[in-house]
Amino acid sequence: MNCKQEYKSTATATQSEEGPKYTNPILGGDYPDPSIVRVGSDYYMTHSSFNYYPGLVVWHSTDLIHWERISHALTKNVGSVWAPDLVFVNGKYYIYFPAGGTNWVVYSDSPKGPWSQPVDLKLNGFIDPGHVVDEQGNRYLYLSKGYVVKLSNDGLAIAEEPVFNYEGWQFPKSWSTECFCLESPKSTVKDGYYYLTTAEGGTAGPATAHMVVSARAKSPYGRFENSPYNPIVHTESRAERWWNQGHGTLVDDVNGDWWIMYHGYEKHFQTLGRQTLMLPIEWTEDGWFKVPDGIKPSDEISVPNLRSSKAKHGLSDDFDNETLNLQWQFYKDNDMSRVRFKDGALVFKGKGTSFADSSPLLVNSGDRKYEVEVEYTLEGEAEIGLCLYYNEVANMHISVNKDRFAVFNRQKRKISEPNTLGNHGFLRILNEENEVSFYFSKDGKQWSRVERSIESSGFNHNVFGEFLSLRAGLFAFGEGDVIFDNFNYKPLH
């Protein structure tokens, strides 16, 4: 495996005798449950955002390979946001999503926003809504557990009670899976058929648990016939690079070619979360779809023949825009009153005494190897620093206050040293394939290492029970402010 395949945070395009190629992931880092829609020659995508707020990042691309953040569709905290569905209907964009025990919808005239406040569909007990429009223009949501519900004409309320319409595809009982877990129903309407693309087998657990399956019917209500090519996507062995592959959404491009976006964990790097992958799709003579024979997600794959996109989605920030850029998200507590800008720097107000009552500002780290640095100036009694953060319990960080530097792992102080720099300096975290070390510097050139002893591979769903990832970010505890500047995230090869 070459360097580009191993350590990229997004798909890498290369040249070969057969033409340009890309390698997965399309989006490296924690971008699970992708939902994608084409509008003309533009492609838009969103993902589960869980407890990261503002939530529902909307992405744009013209070539399906290079993506750029263009908005957040959700600012009001309604709970942990699971698998959404982004659709374009009658000139408007809608995102349907489950959170807080019910299902919601936001809408906008533009994918760049502004987006509406979330509308509660009062649809309890189901997750992963998938929107579909029939030939008469009626709107429906497919739901988990094999249900469907009719919507009002404006798509902002349910018009009937959910009814059962699909029992799923029974995979062999000898397969190593987590559960049956029929979920993530997504719709494709083509040639008189309603194609239902769902996930089964459980999201995490064994490497071979998750999968994408397909069925079709002549009506949104069924009766659905399962594809003879099931499973469409599936990890067959722990030896593969991509584990727990599943949750697919189809999209056609402007040339009539088809693709499937889905997610998977990278073997041994569950700390990066479920990353967005893409494979080509072909349609058979009898009207089914499948991944072409011989193509695997770890291969170099021919790129779509589309208008090149120059989009970038870097994580560094010099804070010169006088606004919080789209790569930043709080964890749970979306408190923008803590953020202001002064002289091209971020002023972050201290709060609480630990991550239990003081949310960090995070970016979605997407590389096996990277370093993150920031310049700081202390004001008042705040304790501030850099962190790698999974949740309130599972995290590690280097902190500094007026008296000392310290390194913490899961709230336990590992080591501390006197603060010899005063109120200004630089911090660095180096993550080398889950081996993490911590540094401080007076000038950003000569660095002192505090400690190199934390192994982070256990920060994952199977240990902590949440579908999150280990993200880099900034924090401020206590009374006072910190001025952060020149936040630099650098992938290492």
Side-chain angles (χ1 to χ4, degrees):
M1 186 178 296
N2 62 36
C3 179
K4 288 181 179 178
Q5 289 175 301
E6 287 187 321
Y7 301 127
K8 60 189 178 302
S9 61
T10 188
T12 301
T14 60
Q15 290 288 337
S16 72
E17 293 181 358
E18 295 81 21
K21 305 282 187 178
Y22 75 90
T23 54
N24 281 305
I26 294 298
L27 282 179
D30 191 28
Y31 295 108
D33 308 321
S35 176
I36 183 170
V37 63
R38 176 174 69 86
V39 180
S41 59
D42 294 289
Y43 305 85
Y44 303 100
M45 184 163 58
T46 192
H47 304 80
S48 293
S49 54
F50 301 108
N51 280 308
Y52 303 106
Y53 280 88
L56 291 174
V57 179
V58 179
W59 298 81
H60 170 255
S61 177
T62 59
D63 62 9
L64 296 174
I65 302 295
H66 304 96
W67 293 87
E68 181 178 15
R69 305 175 195 89
I70 59 172
S71 69
H72 287 117
L74 184 64
T75 56
K76 179 182 178 181
N77 192 327
V78 293
S80 183
V81 176
W82 288 24
D85 197 26
L86 169 61
V87 295
F88 181 70
V89 183
N90 300 329
K92 286 185 180 292
Y93 295 84
Y94 299 80
I95 302 178
Y96 294 87
F97 63 94
T102 184
N103 283 265
W104 308 79
V105 60
V106 292
Y107 56 92
S108 175
D109 292 329
S110 167
K112 296 182 179 180
W115 290 85
S116 74
Q117 287 298 302
V119 177
D120 186 355
L121 297 173
K122 297 179 171 57
L123 187 57
N124 303 323
F126 301 97
I127 60 172
D128 301 2
H131 186 273
V132 61
V133 181
D134 70 13
E135 293 178 348
Q136 289 74 42
N138 297 308
R139 301 173 66 166
Y140 306 84
L141 286 182
Y142 292 133
L143 303 167
S144 60
K145 298 182 285 189
Y147 280 77
V148 64
V149 63
K150 189 176 182 180
L151 296 176
S152 59
N153 291 337
D154 63 5
L156 302 182
I158 60 172
E160 299 175 355
E161 291 301 309
V163 296
F164 184 77
N165 72 330
Y166 179 54
E167 62 184 13
W169 176 74
Q170 184 55 65
F171 50 81
K173 296 186 182 299
S174 61
W175 287 8
S176 182
T177 61
E178 186 180 27
C179 53
F180 184 68
C181 296
L182 179 62
E183 57 190 23
S184 82
K186 297 296 181 283
S187 172
T188 302
V189 181
K190 185 177 185 294
D191 299 333
Y193 281 104
Y194 296 86
Y195 291 86
L196 188 59
T197 305
T198 58
E200 294 179 356
T203 295
T208 57
H210 214 22
M211 67 193 79
V212 176
V213 303
S214 174
R216 71 183 184 188
K218 289 290 187 176
S219 162
Y221 290 105
R223 182 172 180 260
F224 281 93
E225 173 190 9
N226 284 308
S227 171
Y229 299 98
N230 284 337
I232 307 300
V233 176
H234 181 225
T235 302
E236 297 181 0
S237 165
R238 291 189 299 273
E240 296 179 35
R241 177 186 175 189
W242 294 105
W243 288 10
N244 299 112
Q245 296 177 82
H247 200 115
T249 303
L250 294 184
V251 64
D252 64 330
D253 66 28
V254 295
N255 300 315
D257 296 321
W258 287 77
W259 307 85
I260 186 168
M261 293 285 188
Y262 66 101
H263 66 220
Y265 283 113
E266 186 170 11
K267 181 180 180 179
H268 302 319
F269 290 91
Q270 288 92 335
T271 52
L272 294 176
R274 291 167 293 166
Q275 307 183 53
T276 298
L277 315 178
M278 183 174 79
L279 288 174
I281 285 294
E282 66 179 13
W283 292 87
T284 64
E285 291 184 359
D286 53 354
W288 294 103
F289 67 86
K290 67 184 186 74
V291 176
D293 294 341
I295 293 182
K296 299 179 181 179
S298 56
D299 292 343
E300 290 190 339
I301 300 169
S302 295
V303 303
N305 183 24
L306 300 172
R307 175 168 56 94
S308 179
S309 180
K310 303 299 181 183
K312 298 180 180 179
H313 70 279
L315 300 179
S316 297
D317 198 340
D318 58 14
F319 302 115
D320 286 344
N321 287 343
E322 300 298 317
T323 186
L324 198 61
N325 289 326
L326 294 175
Q327 67 264 41
W328 294 102
Q329 293 174 295
F330 283 99
Y331 183 74
K332 292 186 178 178
D333 185 17
N334 187 26
D335 187 357
M336 295 303 295
S337 68
R338 298 178 62 196
V339 174
R340 61 186 176 91
F341 294 86
K342 178 182 177 182
D343 300 327
L346 168 68
V347 183
F348 194 27
K349 182 177 178 60
K351 181 179 179 180
T353 59
S354 72
F355 289 122
D357 54 9
S358 181
S359 176
L361 270 175
L362 303 171
V363 296
N364 197 339
S365 313
D367 299 277
R368 290 185 183 181
K369 295 174 64 174
Y370 61 89
E371 64 182 16
V372 58
E373 300 175 4
V374 72
E375 182 180 359
Y376 69 87
T377 302
L378 288 166
E379 293 186 343
E381 300 297 317
E383 179 176 352
I384 64 91
L386 277 175
C387 61
L388 296 186
Y389 186 92
Y390 192 88
N391 61 21
E392 300 97 324
V393 175
N395 56 73
M396 63 191 76
H397 62 274
I398 179 171
S399 68
V400 59
N401 59 27
K402 65 180 183 179
D403 298 319
R404 61 166 173 78
F405 293 96
V407 169
F408 288 77
N409 183 21
R410 306 186 192 190
Q411 287 67 62
K412 296 180 180 179
R413 187 166 66 188
K414 300 287 291 182
I415 196 170
S416 63
E417 297 183 9
N419 179 1
T420 59
L421 304 185
N423 72 339
H424 177 265
F426 298 78
L427 299 176
R428 173 194 286 174
I429 293 179
L430 174 63
N431 186 345
E432 295 187 285
E433 298 189 333
N434 291 323
E435 186 175 309
V436 182
S437 53
F438 305 86
Y439 302 79
F440 62 90
S441 171
K442 183 176 182 62
D443 56 9
K445 298 177 182 178
Q446 300 295 320
W447 292 89
S448 299
R449 191 175 76 188
V450 178
E451 183 172 345
R452 181 180 179 143
S453 64
I454 299 179
E455 206 285 329
S456 65
S457 61
F459 289 74
N460 60 59
H461 168 266
N462 291 327
V463 176
F464 292 101
E466 292 188 89
F467 294 109
L468 304 175
S469 67
L470 196 61
R471 303 189 181 202
L474 308 169
F475 68 90
F477 304 149
E479 298 294 327
D481 296 339
V482 57
I483 299 175
F484 284 123
D485 203 0
N486 301 314
F487 177 84
N488 184 35
Y489 177 96
K490 181 181 179 182
L492 301 175
H493 297 266

